[in-house]
């Protein structure tokens, strides 16, 4: 029997908004090492959970979970904090690097740090220096990633999500693991072709089950069933991560055949640029949404994608709540808010206490605090499990504040609001409220849309606003649509052979 091969597993994931004025810090990462890392991911709907399902059942492999680092989307990571995180990951890898036959990296693709706008490329380069040129790397990425030329040169074997809202994290991890198996045991040689389109996209047409973007993702999925094709991905990119290579891009990975990869990458994007105006968010003013909501029975969803922590915002906007209260909206309102000072005061006063509060605007100065009289209804430690993937979440200390018809679930730090988890963990069922502020651009339909009367995608300011020309990009290559309406597209193929 041939010698078993050793596969190392490393995870480092964070998505950022360059327009969030608050840098993220090392302390925001949940870090697990060794077996604790594996235990935290096994059986979950995460990339690493899916990859371990494949790799740990392969008797030809010894799988070593090295380190996992996860953080909620936020502002760009402070430079010193990125250096600390990077060195911790590399220190965990260094004693194992010589024994590695392959390394699986679970990355995001839209990470950025102050002083290093391509930290994932930097991490791969430093890992390559430790492991040597002969060790194959495979990575999984979010379809909102912005994979760079440096990343692809170091690791052309890439598998990316095929769904938005994201329901295939574990499946993507499994696909990445199977790609790794092909490299190790079938002699596959990944070569990647990339075509970049000068366009940023947002809105309902990005939903892969119902929107225009899904038709092109279907092409990628069909390609992956073709002989000679190892993987195919179509990256929306994250329009809030303002970095030089920001764009929409197709990447096709073939087995040793650069011409095949190039041809299929061109075919994958055929006709996509012509749809650029259609794949933009359809927003409604706050005033119009509230006016229409007055004549509707609840629950009514007000989507505040501009302040979505899952996209990198602070989560401390009070604009929709302020508008509803000022309008005299008569129904009950449920909303989340990031407000560490308010939570600290609630914990000091205790359950049942009433006080005057200044809510919101504790992080992003564009939001003016809202003054309300409220009662402390519940206090929590902020630890709960996400409905979406069964992973742990930590919001820091939390408080539920009740002010007449308004209920606020306040957290000490931003958390990804992919679903109802934060509300349910604090005893508040969104279905029992007339209006719900949802700070996520798109959630799986069963969480809100399936029972809501309407979902208004509201145009309010914020660091993750889908009104993209208002954000103020300075780093991405120009021209790019819709920042530059007259942008044109001439397809160019870039090839990468690791």
């Amino acid at each position: 029997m041939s010698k078993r091969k050793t596969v190392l597993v490393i995870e480092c994931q964070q998505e950022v908004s360059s327009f969030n004025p608050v840098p993220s810090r090392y302390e925001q990462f949940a870090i697990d090492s060794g077996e604790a890392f594996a235990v935290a991911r096994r059986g979950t709907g995460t990339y690493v959970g899916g990859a371990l399902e494949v790799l740990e059942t392969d008797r030809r492999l010894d799988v070593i979970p090295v380190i996992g680092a996860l953080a909620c989307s936020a502002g760009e990571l402070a430079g010193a904090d990125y250096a600390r995180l990077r060195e911790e990951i590399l220190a965990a890898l260094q004693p194992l690097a010589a024994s590695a036959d392959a390394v699986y990296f679970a990355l995001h693709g839209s990470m950025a740090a102050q002083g290093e706008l391509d930290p994932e490329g930097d991490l791969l380069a430093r890992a390559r220096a430790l492991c040597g040129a002969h060790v194959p790397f495979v990575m999984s990425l979010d379809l909102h990633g912005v994979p760079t030329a440096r990343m692809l040169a170091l690791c052309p074997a890439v598998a990316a999500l095929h769904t938005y809202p994201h329901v295939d994290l574990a499946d993507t991890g499994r696909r990445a693991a199977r790609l790794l198996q092909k490299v190790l045991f079938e002699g596959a040689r990944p070569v990647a072709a990339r075509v970049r389109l000068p366009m940023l996209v947002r809105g309902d047409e990005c939903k892969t089950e119902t929107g225009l973007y899904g038709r092109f993702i279907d092409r990628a999925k069909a390609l992956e069933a073709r002989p000679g094709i190892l993987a195919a991905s179509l990256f929306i990119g994250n329009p809030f991560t303002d970095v030089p290579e920001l764009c929409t891009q197709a990447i096709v990975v073939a087995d040793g055949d650069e011409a095949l990869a190039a041809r299929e990458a061109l075919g994958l994007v055929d006709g996509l640029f012509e749809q650029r105006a259609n794949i933009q968010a359809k927003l409604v003013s706050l005033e119009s949404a509230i006016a229409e909501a007055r004549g509707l029975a609840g629950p009514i969803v007000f989507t505040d994608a501009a302040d979505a922590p899952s996209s990198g915002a602070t989560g401390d906007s009070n604009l929709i709540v302020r508008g509803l209260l000022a309008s005299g909206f008569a129904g009950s309102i449920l909303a989340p808010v990031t407000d560490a000072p308010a939570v600290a005061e609630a914990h000091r006063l205790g359950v049942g206490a009433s006080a005057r509060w200044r809510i919101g605007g504790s992080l992003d100065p564009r939001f003016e605090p809202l003054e309300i009289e409220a009662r402390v209804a519940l206090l929590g430690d902020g630890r709960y499990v996400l409905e979406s993937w069964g992973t742990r979440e930590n919001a820091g200390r939390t408080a539920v504040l009740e002010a007449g018809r308004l209920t606020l679930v306040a957290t000490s730090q931003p958390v990804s609001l992919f679903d109802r988890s934060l509300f349910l963990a604090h005893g508040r069922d969104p279905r029992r409220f007339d209006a719900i502020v949802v700070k996520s651009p798109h959630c799986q339909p069963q969480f809100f849309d399936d029972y809501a009367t309407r979902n208004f995608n509201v145009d309010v300011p914020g660091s993750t606003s889908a009104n993209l020309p208002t954000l103020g990009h300075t780093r991405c290559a120009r021209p790019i649509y819709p920042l530059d309406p007259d942008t044109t597209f001439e397809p160019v193929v870039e090839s990468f052979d690791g």
Side-chain angles (χ1 to χ4, degrees):
M1 184 176 178
S2 60
K3 179 180 176 294
R4 292 162 66 94
K5 295 185 180 293
T6 299
V7 174
L8 308 183
V9 178
I10 294 174
E11 174 189 66
C12 182
Q13 293 189 42
Q14 185 187 37
E15 180 182 43
V16 308
S17 169
S18 303
F19 310 105
N20 181 336
V22 183
S24 54
R25 312 304 298 234
Y26 168 88
E27 288 76 17
Q28 290 170 241
F29 283 81
I31 301 175
D32 295 296
S33 299
E35 184 58 20
F37 169 36
V39 168
R41 303 295 184 270
R42 283 192 193 106
T44 65
T46 60
Y47 299 94
V48 174
L52 291 178
E53 181 183 321
V54 172
L55 299 174
E56 291 188 326
T57 55
D58 189 334
R59 295 183 179 182
R60 301 168 295 180
L61 296 176
D62 288 320
V63 182
I64 301 178
V66 180
I67 190 169
L70 288 175
C72 178
S73 302
E76 291 182 358
L77 184 57
D81 295 71
Y82 166 62
R84 179 181 175 186
L85 177 66
R86 179 191 65 203
E87 294 312 309
E88 187 168 343
I89 293 171
L90 294 174
L93 170 62
Q94 195 277 331
L96 300 167
S99 66
D101 293 295
V103 185
Y104 164 55
F105 292 89
L107 307 175
H108 184 281
S110 282
M111 193 174 180
Q114 295 174 345
E116 176 52 79
L117 295 179
D118 181 18
E120 289 146 315
D122 178 54
L123 183 61
L124 287 170
R126 292 171 187 267
R128 174 62 71 202
L130 290 175
C131 295
H134 65 288
V135 176
F137 286 0
V138 174
M139 63 180 170
S140 57
L141 297 174
D142 193 300
L143 58 75
H144 288 105
V146 187
T148 63
R150 176 164 63 163
M151 291 172 65
L152 294 169
L154 291 159
C155 181
V158 53
L161 293 176
H162 283 159
T163 64
Y164 180 66
H166 306 319
V167 296
D168 65 330
L169 276 71
D171 181 65
T172 302
R174 286 188 285 267
R175 288 189 288 116
R178 293 183 187 116
L179 174 51
L180 186 149
Q181 288 172 320
K182 290 179 182 178
V183 172
L184 282 180
F185 301 116
E186 299 175 24
R189 184 172 68 85
V191 295
R194 174 172 77 160
V195 177
R196 291 185 285 168
L197 293 82
M199 57 185 276
L200 305 177
V201 299
R202 207 68 184 160
D204 287 347
E205 293 298 335
C206 291
K207 295 180 182 179
T208 48
E209 187 171 335
T210 59
L212 280 169
Y213 180 72
R215 302 178 197 171
F216 293 88
I217 283 287
D218 286 343
R219 293 183 187 177
K221 292 161 71 175
L223 274 177
E224 290 193 340
R226 290 263 310 276
I229 300 296
L230 298 174
S233 309
L234 188 58
F235 291 87
I236 294 176
N238 180 30
F240 316 120
T241 308
D242 187 17
V243 291
E245 293 184 50
L246 175 64
C247 63
T248 297
Q249 55 183 302
I251 297 174
V252 174
V253 184
D255 186 359
D257 191 335
E258 291 186 11
L260 174 63
R263 184 168 64 251
E264 298 300 349
L266 287 168
L268 184 51
V269 301
D270 184 34
L272 179 56
F273 190 72
E274 288 70 24
Q275 297 288 348
R276 62 194 179 279
N278 295 322
I279 315 181
Q280 301 297 324
K282 309 299 189 292
L283 302 173
V284 60
S285 72
L286 178 57
E287 295 74 17
S288 296
I290 292 173
E292 188 172 346
R294 283 201 190 99
L296 300 174
I300 301 162
V301 170
F302 291 83
T303 290
D304 187 2
D307 191 41
S310 58
S311 300
T314 49
D316 66 333
S317 171
N318 54 30
L319 294 179
I320 293 179
V321 167
R322 182 188 293 274
L324 286 166
L325 295 178
S327 75
F329 181 81
S332 56
I333 306 164
L334 177 65
V337 65
T338 307
D339 198 321
V343 172
E345 179 66 2
H347 278 259
R348 186 185 73 81
L349 293 173
V351 173
S354 294
R356 190 79 178 166
W357 308 84
R358 288 169 55 83
I359 298 295
S362 63
L363 296 172
D364 192 327
R366 82 189 83 189
F367 308 126
E368 180 183 348
L370 172 67
E371 293 195 11
I372 58 172
E373 287 281 346
R375 169 183 169 273
V376 181
L378 184 147
L379 298 172
D381 65 4
R383 297 183 183 275
Y384 57 96
V385 175
L386 280 176
E387 278 185 291
S388 300
W389 302 297
T391 51
R392 298 169 297 174
E393 188 62 87
N394 183 6
R397 292 196 302 176
T398 57
V400 176
L401 305 178
E402 293 181 340
R405 62 189 185 277
L406 170 65
T407 298
L408 292 168
V409 180
T411 64
S412 296
Q413 59 194 35
V415 289
S416 294
L417 301 167
F418 297 117
D419 49 40
R420 303 166 300 178
S421 305
L422 178 69
F423 295 140
L424 297 177
H426 293 84
R428 272 47 185 184
D429 186 341
R431 292 172 296 183
R432 302 186 179 212
F433 288 80
D434 298 305
I436 314 152
V437 178
V438 175
K439 293 192 176 188
S440 182
H442 294 106
C443 298
Q444 294 178 47
Q446 68 269 25
F447 298 137
F448 298 103
D449 287 346
D450 283 352
Y451 59 84
T453 304
R454 281 289 303 276
N455 185 337
F456 294 102
N457 195 358
V458 184
D459 188 7
V460 287
S463 57
T464 57
S465 170
N467 191 346
L468 302 181
T470 68
L471 290 171
H473 292 77
T474 59
R475 297 171 183 153
C476 65
R478 306 290 287 266
I480 191 167
Y481 186 88
L483 311 186
D484 307 294
D486 296 330
T487 302
T488 59
F489 170 53
E490 292 294 333
V492 174
V493 179
E494 301 168 82
S495 296
F496 304 89
D497 182 351

